[in-house]
Amino acid sequence: MKEITIYYCLWVKMVFGIVFITFSYACKEKESKILLEEALGRASSNQVEIQKVLDYYREDTVKYKAACFLIENMPGHYSYMMTPQLKEYLQELDSVLTSSKILNYEQRDTLYTRENKKFNKEFSVKVEDIQIVSSDYLIQNINHAFKLWTDQNWSKHLSFDDFCEYLLPYKVVEGQVLDNWREYCGELYDSSLAQLKYCSLYEKNACIACNTVTEKMRQDIFPRMSSVIYPAVKSMHTLLKIPHGTCEEYAIMTLAVMRAKGIPCTMDFTPQWPFRSMGHVWNVLLENTGKTSIFEGANSPVGTPHKKDHKMAKVYRNTYAANKELKELNNVETRVPELFQTPFMKDVTQEYMTTQDLFVPVDDRINNKYAYLCVFDNAEWIPVAWGKRKGNGFLFERMGKDIVYLPTLYTNREMISFSEPILLDISGKTIFLKADTINSQMLKLYRKHPNMPYSCGENLRLIGAKIQAANTSNFKDSITLHTYSNLEPEIGLTGGNKYQYWRYYSSHHGFVNVAELRFYERDSLNASWGRIIGIESSYRSEEEYRKEAVFDGDLLTYFDAPTPSDSWVGMDFGRPVDISRITCIMRGDGNTIEEGNEYELFFRYHKNWKSLGKKIGKDIFLTYHDCPCNALFLLRNLTKGKEERIFTYQEGKQEWW
């Protein structure tokens, strides 16, 4: 009886399973038919061309399904009409880049930048692909993609669904010129890939093939990063010749070459770093194992640790298929931040890190169905995630940790906060940074922006340096009063002995590299001055690198000594002086407090920034009294500079976010 019951239960489960699968398949087929009809409707006068593609593959089930995938998801993908002006511009740019290969980098950069500036948005007419793509173009691309899938070794491991995303699309980026990119990109590096067939371990290995192409591209292109952005119209023919570009441009050209060679790749991106300006784009390979591995287009091998020191709030993957959630967002909301106006991406944050869902309560008077989380980009709050209304709040799924977020609503093309900033700490705990204006604290601020890797290396040259004093100009009777063991910018001296000559003596291989040095006599609030002394000449001859730069009040000039070690700079005070305090700012980014500059400190209060007052820099730090506890702060230099960063203040120290 017991066995009969077990078999009966299994039979019931099997029947329900078959019914569920059948029902799901029927729903999917119905949805596909609806999407296809909608796409044909969007095609307008181009419907005849789209129908030709469907008719062409009517007897080939697999290719017909692939064609349907492309057409169903085509609405929203766009290109540019090839107007005579646009065609002329692209031909001229391509010609210049081809002829400039014999020039040096500076000359090529000048030509490239000059031609780039000729781009005029007025002669670029944006139009949906569904309204302009020809049947011949689509059929040619579908056939080419299938040939790569079946004939090339690098993509045979793909399922049909993966093939549709990683190899099939007729373009790799929005705004791409719809030319024969698969042909001319596919001709590249054939001989290098052909050699892999002689090794049984390599002949079907997508990772080895990808690395082979990446290295050849690196050697050919020698990528050089630049902030000069290529126009919205993307010509693969032209991109392959650019002398410099952004990470996105190199990722795009790499993706085009990889797919043209039958190597299944895509692009991932983080829209905004949560601790600095800008975002980043990189490539992803779908390996034979079915797992994805990252690499930097035309630069680094597959699987190379890439910006592992950079925490991320969100990572998205570019897709050809539309994201249903993003389509719903755009259908429900009248205004959507630019990042989410395209449905062709999906959230892959969990592939990169452990994440945490974040629930933000909201006032009952707010009836929005969607909200957004922003991170700070050194100037303003940038949306990086969307969340859906869940009861009395919004749920934001799969968020990066150890980051400060600002929950916002998007109305009238403006981001409006509805909550205090939230710190989602490294353990996943939610901390609302609601300023406590009843309990106050004093802030001693040395910087307006954190010390980043590009300047930290020079700062480290302080360690091992010495402060020495003497009463003879050749320092034969010198005494070492302090040896730096950390990066603290100010030191105090005891003893009360007086010396006429004082100097900073370089650490081993430190080149001095001091930007500003000040000596304070005992019981004096102001720095003392004398005659500048030090080793003669400098490593670089320009005035901003000579020893005088150490006392010129400019954080961006510094003494670059002629020899790496045993170099020094200091002052002859003309009389013995008792120095009790010394401040030393190393070569850096100019973000430390600078004498004579005007600063203003803000804290986040009631969904806005509130000023705690303006101050003129008179030392290497600013002091603010009666500041709120548990607050998010921002220090701005009103005199110069752009880099600013939000911070909290804990245990007498700025904590940057």
Side-chain angles (χ1 to χ4, degrees):
M1 188 68 182
K2 184 177 180 181
E3 290 182 358
I4 294 175
T5 302
I6 292 173
Y7 284 126
Y8 177 76
C9 291
L10 291 173
W11 180 81
V12 170
K13 285 183 179 179
M14 183 178 68
V15 171
F16 272 108
I18 294 172
V19 170
F20 177 77
I21 293 171
T22 304
F23 179 75
S24 298
Y25 180 78
C27 289
K28 192 173 181 180
E29 287 290 304
K30 184 178 180 180
E31 181 184 9
S32 177
K33 186 176 180 181
I34 292 172
L35 290 173
L36 193 59
E37 290 175 354
E38 289 177 351
L40 287 169
R42 290 277 285 272
S44 189
S45 60
N46 199 47
Q47 188 174 130
V48 174
E49 289 295 301
I50 302 300
Q51 190 61 54
K52 283 182 183 179
V53 177
L54 295 172
D55 294 340
Y56 183 85
Y57 292 117
R58 190 72 66 178
E59 303 303 319
D60 189 326
T61 305
V62 179
K63 287 187 177 179
Y64 180 81
K65 189 177 178 182
C68 288
F69 169 82
L70 291 178
I71 295 168
E72 289 166 11
N73 290 285
M74 199 176 291
H77 287 290
Y78 69 88
S79 299
Y80 289 89
M81 294 288 289
M82 190 53 69
T83 61
Q85 298 94 328
L86 179 57
K87 185 176 182 180
E88 181 182 352
Y89 162 75
L90 290 173
Q91 288 176 341
E92 187 174 339
L93 186 61
D94 193 53
S95 175
V96 166
L97 290 174
T98 301
S99 62
S100 68
K101 283 189 174 181
I102 60 174
L103 303 177
N104 61 40
Y105 284 123
E106 186 176 343
Q107 292 169 325
R108 290 179 66 190
D109 289 353
T110 301
L111 279 174
Y112 174 62
T113 304
R114 186 191 70 189
E115 292 301 317
N116 234 350
K117 289 180 179 178
K118 291 183 179 180
F119 180 77
N120 189 333
K121 290 184 179 180
E122 292 182 2
F123 61 64
S124 59
V125 182
K126 186 177 175 179
V127 62
E128 279 193 315
D129 291 348
I130 195 73
Q131 297 177 352
I132 62 168
V133 69
S134 69
S135 55
D136 288 343
Y137 181 80
L138 212 52
I139 290 169
Q140 181 186 23
N141 271 274
I142 292 171
N143 288 342
H144 198 150
F146 268 90
K147 184 174 177 60
L148 290 170
W149 189 22
T150 55
D151 294 356
Q152 288 284 18
N153 286 327
W154 328 121
S155 54
K156 287 183 177 179
H157 60 286
L158 299 183
S159 66
F160 178 77
D161 288 342
D162 287 336
F163 163 73
C164 286
E165 275 295 351
Y166 287 86
L167 214 60
L168 176 64
Y170 55 89
K171 63 194 297 186
V172 299
V173 67
E174 300 304 337
Q176 180 178 336
V177 174
L178 300 181
D179 62 3
N180 61 332
W181 63 275
R182 283 192 199 268
E183 293 180 19
Y184 58 77
C185 288
E187 293 171 353
L188 299 170
Y189 317 124
D190 274 347
S191 59
S192 297
L193 285 174
Q195 297 175 12
L196 301 182
K197 67 182 180 182
Y198 298 109
C199 176
S200 59
L201 185 64
Y202 292 169
E203 63 177 343
K204 296 180 182 179
N205 193 310
C207 182
I208 297 298
C210 185
N211 280 341
T212 300
V213 174
T214 298
E215 178 58 20
K216 293 298 293 183
M217 289 186 72
R218 188 189 66 80
Q219 294 173 5
D220 285 354
I221 298 170
F222 194 71
R224 293 160 56 241
M225 292 301 167
S226 169
S227 59
V228 178
I229 298 175
Y230 189 69
V233 181
K234 306 289 192 236
S235 165
M236 295 303 126
H237 203 269
T238 305
L239 272 178
L240 287 168
K241 300 182 180 72
I242 61 172
H244 58 244
T246 64
C247 56
E248 182 177 12
E249 287 162 351
Y250 285 117
I252 290 169
M253 70 172 76
T254 299
L255 181 56
V257 173
M258 292 298 175
R259 286 189 178 175
K261 305 300 295 181
I263 301 171
C265 290
T266 187
M267 292 191 301
D268 284 0
F269 69 98
T270 187
Q272 174 62 54
W273 297 117
F275 63 94
R276 50 162 282 192
S277 61
M278 301 187 295
H280 190 47
V281 182
W282 59 94
N283 292 108
V284 176
L285 168 73
L286 186 59
E287 295 193 67
N288 297 65
T289 59
K291 293 183 178 181
T292 55
S293 290
I294 65 174
F295 67 104
E296 198 167 23
N299 195 0
S300 66
V302 172
T304 302
H306 182 55
K307 297 191 183 298
K308 287 286 189 180
D309 57 327
H310 284 34
K311 57 186 175 182
M312 297 183 287
K314 272 294 181 185
V315 182
Y316 295 104
R317 178 161 297 156
N318 286 309
T319 62
Y320 180 82
N323 184 329
K324 294 179 183 178
E325 292 181 353
L326 280 171
K327 285 181 71 174
E328 180 186 351
L329 169 64
N330 281 274
N331 288 333
V332 170
E333 297 292 291
T334 55
R335 292 219 181 351
V336 175
E338 184 178 1
L339 173 64
F340 305 119
Q341 288 175 11
T342 173
F344 305 114
M345 63 181 190
K346 67 177 182 179
D347 185 354
V348 292
T349 312
Q350 283 184 306
E351 291 188 22
Y352 288 82
M353 68 193 85
T354 56
T355 61
Q356 179 72 42
D357 291 351
L358 179 58
F359 183 79
V360 184
V362 67
D363 193 305
D364 290 338
R365 292 171 294 181
I366 295 176
N367 54 16
N368 296 57
K369 293 184 178 180
Y370 290 91
Y372 306 91
L373 282 184
C374 299
V375 295
F376 197 69
D377 80 334
N378 289 350
E380 57 185 339
W381 295 97
I382 305 296
V384 295
W386 80 91
K388 214 171 181 180
R389 186 68 176 259
K390 298 288 183 182
N392 63 339
F394 292 97
L395 179 63
F396 299 93
E397 298 180 315
R398 301 176 297 277
M399 300 306 303
K401 295 183 286 188
D402 197 29
I403 294 167
V404 168
Y405 295 102
L406 184 69
T408 61
L409 303 172
Y410 193 69
T411 57
N412 298 322
R413 299 185 181 180
E414 279 188 306
M415 305 302 302
I416 300 175
S417 63
F418 66 88
S419 167
E420 302 297 340
I422 298 173
L423 168 58
L424 185 60
D425 75 10
I426 195 67
S427 67
K429 181 182 177 182
T430 300
I431 302 170
F432 285 82
L433 298 175
K434 184 176 182 180
D436 180 358
T437 55
I438 297 175
N439 297 297
S440 63
Q441 60 179 331
M442 182 196 79
L443 271 58
K444 189 175 182 180
L445 310 176
Y446 289 91
R447 298 183 60 91
K448 64 183 180 69
H449 189 273
N451 201 5
M452 302 297 281
Y454 52 79
S455 61
C456 190
E458 284 73 25
N459 287 189
L460 290 171
R461 291 178 175 179
L462 176 64
I463 296 176
K466 298 177 175 64
I467 295 295
Q468 295 181 336
N471 280 313
T472 57
S473 60
N474 59 10
F475 281 84
K476 283 190 175 180
D477 62 338
S478 68
I479 180 172
T480 297
L481 299 173
H482 180 78
T483 299
Y484 287 94
S485 60
N486 55 45
L487 298 184
E488 292 299 322
E490 60 179 327
I491 61 172
L493 299 176
T494 59
N497 293 322
K498 295 184 178 183
Y499 300 92
Q500 179 175 339
Y501 303 96
W502 292 77
R503 71 178 180 181
Y504 171 99
Y505 191 83
S506 173
S507 61
H508 179 66
H509 228 271
F511 284 96
V512 179
N513 274 193
V514 173
E516 292 298 313
L517 185 64
R518 298 290 183 270
F519 298 95
Y520 294 81
E521 292 185 56
R522 195 165 303 281
D523 301 324
S524 175
L525 296 176
N526 299 314
S528 294
W529 298 89
R531 181 174 63 88
I532 299 172
I533 56 176
I535 191 169
E536 293 301 321
S537 74
S538 58
Y539 186 77
R540 286 180 279 188
S541 60
E542 292 85 353
E543 187 175 342
E544 60 263 37
Y545 304 121
R546 298 173 187 170
K547 62 177 178 287
E548 288 77 13
V550 175
F551 303 98
D552 66 357
D554 188 343
L555 290 172
L556 296 178
T557 63
Y558 57 91
F559 183 27
D560 204 9
T563 57
S565 305
D566 301 319
S567 296
W568 60 277
V569 65
M571 274 198 168
D572 169 11
F573 289 99
R575 59 184 173 83
V577 293
D578 178 15
I579 300 298
S580 62
R581 176 176 177 253
I582 299 172
T583 62
C584 181
I585 303 297
M586 297 298 289
R587 166 187 176 184
D589 54 13
N591 286 316
T592 49
I593 303 304
E594 188 167 349
E595 294 178 41
N597 283 199
E598 184 178 20
Y599 297 86
E600 186 170 12
L601 179 65
F602 298 86
F603 73 100
R604 196 76 187 179
Y605 186 65
H606 287 173
K607 306 169 189 177
N608 289 297
W609 290 111
K610 184 175 180 179
S611 177
L612 283 164
K614 300 177 182 179
K615 292 193 177 217
I616 302 295
K618 296 180 180 179
D619 207 321
I620 64 169
F621 60 85
L622 296 170
T623 302
Y624 277 87
H625 298 274
D626 300 322
C627 299
C629 295
N630 194 50
L632 186 67
F633 297 98
L634 177 68
L635 181 63
R636 287 195 169 132
N637 186 330
L638 305 179
T639 304
K640 63 181 181 182
K642 294 181 179 179
E643 290 187 321
E644 299 160 352
R645 197 71 224 152
I646 53 176
F647 63 93
T648 53
Y649 199 79
Q650 299 168 4
E651 298 179 357
K653 181 183 176 183
Q654 290 172 276
E655 295 288 340
W656 302 99
W657 303 103

